[in-house]
Amino acid sequence: QASQEELKAAYRRLCMLYHPDKHRDPELKTQAERLFNLVHQAYEVLSDPQTRAIYDIYGRRGLEMEGWEVVERKRTPAEIREEFERLQREREERRLQQRTNPKGTISVGIDATDLFDRYDEEYEDVPGSSFPQIEINKMHISQSIEAPLTATDTAILSGNLSTQNGNGGGSINLALRRVTSAKGWGELEFGAGDLQGPLFGLKIFRNLTPRCFITTNCALQFSSRGIRPGLTTVLARNLDKNTMGYLQWRWGIQSAMNTSIVRDTKTSHFTVALQLGIPHSFMMVSYQHKFQDEDQTRVKGSVKAGFFGTIVEYGAERKISRHSVLGATVSIGVPQGVSLKIKLNRASQTYFFPVHLTDQLLPSAVFYATVGPLVIYFAMHRLIIKPYLRAQKERELEKQRESTASDILQKKQEAEAAVRLMQESVRRIIEAEEARMGLIVVNAWYGKFVNDNSKKNEKVKVIDVTVPLQCLVKDSKLILTEASKAGLPGFYDPCVGEEKSLKVLYQFRGVLHQVMSADNEALRIPKQ
């Protein structure tokens, strides 16, 4: 967004800094010529509206193309941008066609009640009875994919298979969704299964106001016993910035009325719900605390009481890699007993393992269900997961360093040459700033800083940028825009692929100040 006047001012300033005639030393003169030519080339591109538009869109590659395979040279900047937007739309449409958004769930139910509910007298004469019997008693697999047909129409194909104690079945569904406007969408669903007959459904979503929406789902289930209609309506409203209120009415199969309030903030998630229905009526309260750590750790607990009994659940989940979240929940209920539920989310796939431990409320089962997963997780995290992630990160960084090594070396040489050429200008700037009690950069460093004790073994990788930063001071002000500081004159990237910051110790009006700025963060000194 720089104006022509700003470009001219920056060009004149850099020309004065890098002009070969201002340096007598032969080596400095050679370095100045090279940098002066680079500045001149940049200004030639940016001062011409047409080449600037091409560079803004396609970068240096666009300027180097012979015959202009991308756009014709005769076009105006507005036409070039229009052409670019058209190509962008085509690319988006191609990406849309390739996106299927697969989602899947695999659930494996494990019966481990033999570990705690054994009756030894029944096993005395049975061979191998000394070993507890652990069985898989149920499984469920579901999968869905989306196929965008147009920008507003999407086809969704889903299916599932379930089996429990030797009996099972499955179904397949096809849904067609159309976004009718910015306020809503509609969906038609067709399904069939081996246990139930055909299914026809209609789902409608509509924003009533900016803070309120409604969802209605009508379904007709055909079976040997006739047609079973069903209707579900959900009315939701934003009560405040972080709180939603829901009213649900379900008629047909398992009719019920449900109301719930959900509050979701940066550090917590709270839900309270009340349902009156056939066959189940219940009240439920749950709370989840979100820790603001690198692994996105969450601990949660809930109490659910109704005609079916009472269930208390508590658990935790944690990010174990870039795309994976591992969680475990202990469920204690009357008359359900004690269960341990282990869940792994990997991208859009979910793997769920509910382990039923006992039908009774045994303290030993609760203890092992709580302590066992924690011990196993911390042992695996320390011995397997952490070393693997560290090695993977190092491999990625090493690969990135190798691919950019020659470019970084060139940037380093240019930066060092620029710093040498800046010395005389910086001396004059400091003299002028001292005379007016203005802005003087005492020390400045750029790169990777290690402040966290948990990372004390990591190496600090910073470069001294005091001179180039002082050179950017104008009228007792230093203003840096939202861009990587590695591209500033006299800077280069000392640690490719790693998080970088700029640390500045400066003097203004005779008082020392210190500021720390992230790599892509805008900076204005002195602070207002």
Side-chain angles (χ1 to χ4, degrees):
Q1 290 81 24
S3 65
Q4 286 297 325
E5 289 71 27
E6 288 173 317
L7 283 171
K8 284 178 184 176
Y11 176 58
R12 282 197 298 268
R13 191 172 181 195
L14 288 170
C15 282
M16 288 175 64
L17 186 65
Y18 296 144
H19 202 287
D21 293 346
K22 296 177 72 69
H23 304 280
R24 295 178 182 177
D25 183 277
E27 188 183 346
L28 287 178
K29 198 176 184 73
T30 304
Q31 291 168 348
E33 282 176 358
R34 188 157 53 87
L35 290 170
F36 183 80
N37 288 335
L38 283 173
V39 171
H40 185 65
Q41 288 169 17
Y43 183 67
E44 277 189 333
V45 170
L46 299 177
S47 59
D48 180 347
Q50 189 188 44
T51 54
R52 178 177 174 177
I54 293 165
Y55 178 77
D56 283 347
I57 297 167
Y58 301 102
R60 189 176 293 183
R61 180 174 165 270
L63 298 170
E64 292 170 352
M65 279 185 167
E66 290 183 11
W68 287 104
E69 297 101 323
V70 189
V71 288
E72 295 172 18
R73 283 183 183 271
K74 299 175 189 174
R75 296 193 179 185
T76 65
E79 288 173 331
I80 292 168
R81 291 181 189 280
E82 190 179 327
E83 176 75 4
F84 174 70
E85 286 167 5
R86 185 186 65 80
L87 293 170
Q88 281 284 81
R89 283 195 299 272
E90 287 181 2
R91 276 197 292 269
E92 282 297 319
E93 286 174 8
R94 283 198 296 271
R95 264 200 293 269
L96 190 69
Q97 297 298 332
Q98 293 166 359
R99 192 177 65 219
T100 56
N101 195 22
K103 295 178 184 175
T105 301
I106 296 177
S107 176
V108 180
I110 301 170
D111 183 359
T113 53
D114 204 29
L115 290 170
F116 297 96
D117 293 344
R118 294 185 52 139
Y119 297 96
D120 291 338
E121 61 271 13
E122 295 180 10
Y123 290 88
E124 284 178 357
D125 300 326
V126 180
S129 62
S130 58
F131 296 101
Q133 300 294 313
I134 297 175
E135 301 174 346
I136 293 175
N137 60 357
K138 57 184 175 181
M139 291 184 71
H140 174 80
I141 299 173
S142 64
Q143 186 75 26
S144 70
I145 57 169
E146 295 181 2
L149 306 176
T150 66
T152 57
D153 298 334
T154 305
I156 304 161
L157 182 67
S158 61
N160 67 79
L161 291 168
S162 299
T163 177
Q164 183 168 0
N165 296 324
N167 299 314
S171 65
I172 187 166
N173 292 63
L174 173 66
L176 299 172
R177 181 185 298 162
R178 165 167 284 188
V179 178
T180 53
S181 69
K183 290 187 174 182
W185 49 265
E187 185 176 289
L188 280 172
E189 183 181 7
F190 309 93
D194 58 346
L195 298 180
Q196 296 176 330
L199 169 75
F200 296 98
L202 172 65
K203 191 173 184 179
I204 298 170
F205 170 88
R206 181 78 178 174
N207 277 313
L208 302 178
T209 69
R211 298 180 62 184
C212 183
F213 69 83
I214 188 170
T215 303
T216 301
N217 189 4
C218 312
L220 291 175
Q221 179 73 64
F222 295 85
S223 66
S224 57
R225 286 176 285 182
I227 300 174
R228 301 171 68 184
L231 175 67
T232 302
T233 301
V234 179
L235 179 67
R237 180 178 172 81
N238 277 97
L239 303 179
D240 65 29
K241 182 182 175 183
N242 300 306
T243 309
M244 289 288 293
Y246 297 90
L247 289 172
Q248 184 187 71
W249 178 63
R250 190 166 63 241
W251 172 79
I253 304 167
Q254 295 189 346
S255 298
M257 291 175 64
N258 183 299
T259 180
S260 59
I261 294 174
V262 179
R263 181 169 177 80
D264 191 17
T265 66
K266 191 178 179 181
T267 58
S268 65
H269 183 94
F270 175 77
T271 303
V272 58
L274 175 66
Q275 176 172 301
L276 299 174
I278 303 170
H280 294 311
S281 294
F282 64 85
M283 183 173 181
M284 188 267 290
V285 177
S286 72
Y287 177 80
Q288 183 181 89
H289 184 75
K290 307 172 188 176
F291 291 92
Q292 302 303 302
D293 60 351
E294 190 180 352
D295 296 323
Q296 300 175 12
T297 307
R298 300 181 179 191
V299 294
K300 54 189 176 181
S302 68
V303 179
K304 188 175 181 180
F307 294 162
F308 52 80
T310 301
I311 298 174
V312 176
E313 291 189 342
Y314 58 88
E317 66 178 43
R318 198 174 198 186
K319 193 174 180 180
I320 58 173
S321 72
R322 188 183 303 171
H323 304 292
S324 302
V325 177
L326 180 65
T329 303
V330 179
S331 177
I332 306 165
V334 178
Q336 291 83 1
V338 181
S339 297
L340 171 65
K341 302 171 183 176
I342 298 169
K343 185 167 74 171
L344 174 66
N345 287 330
R346 171 74 179 169
S348 58
Q349 302 295 313
T350 301
Y351 305 91
F352 186 53
F353 302 92
V355 184
H356 188 51
L357 298 175
T358 171
D359 294 323
Q360 307 170 56
L361 293 183
L362 297 178
S364 58
V366 175
F367 174 79
Y368 285 113
T370 305
V371 176
L374 287 173
V375 172
I376 293 169
Y377 169 76
F378 283 112
M380 287 184 64
H381 188 263
R382 190 172 183 84
L383 300 175
I384 299 172
I385 297 171
K386 208 170 179 180
Y388 171 75
L389 292 176
R390 194 187 301 120
Q392 188 183 44
K393 189 178 179 181
E394 282 297 322
R395 282 197 300 271
E396 288 175 359
L397 284 174
E398 193 59 39
K399 192 175 178 182
Q400 197 173 353
R401 287 190 199 107
E402 287 174 5
S403 64
T404 59
S406 58
D407 188 44
I408 292 297
L409 181 62
Q410 184 184 344
K411 295 285 184 188
K412 182 181 178 181
Q413 290 169 351
E414 285 179 6
E416 289 171 348
V419 169
R420 284 194 290 271
L421 296 169
M422 289 174 182
Q423 297 291 345
E424 185 59 30
S425 296
V426 165
R427 187 183 61 78
R428 289 197 300 270
I429 291 170
I430 291 175
E431 286 176 0
E433 292 297 324
E434 282 177 341
R436 61 163 76 106
M437 292 282 286
L439 176 60
I440 298 170
V441 178
V442 179
N443 273 311
W445 302 271
Y446 172 67
K448 178 185 174 183
F449 295 86
V450 180
N451 300 319
D452 191 348
N453 288 331
S454 63
K455 300 178 181 178
K456 59 186 177 183
N457 294 326
E458 295 187 20
K459 189 180 176 184
V460 176
K461 301 171 187 173
V462 295
I463 55 171
D464 189 329
V465 290
T466 308
V467 172
L469 214 56
Q470 182 70 66
C471 196
L472 292 170
V473 173
K474 185 180 180 184
D475 298 329
S476 298
K477 290 177 187 173
L478 175 64
I479 301 171
L480 303 180
T481 56
E482 290 181 1
S484 175
K485 296 167 179 64
L488 293 171
F491 283 63
Y492 68 93
D493 193 341
C495 44
V496 176
E498 298 185 66
E499 201 172 296
K500 293 173 280 291
S501 301
L502 175 67
K503 187 176 184 179
V504 187
L505 181 67
Y506 66 95
Q507 186 175 305
F508 184 70
R509 299 283 185 261
V511 181
L512 277 173
H513 302 273
Q514 183 174 288
V515 66
M516 192 93 161
S517 169
D519 188 25
N520 289 293
E521 186 182 356
L523 177 66
R524 185 187 179 96
I525 296 176
K527 295 285 186 182
Q528 301 302 308

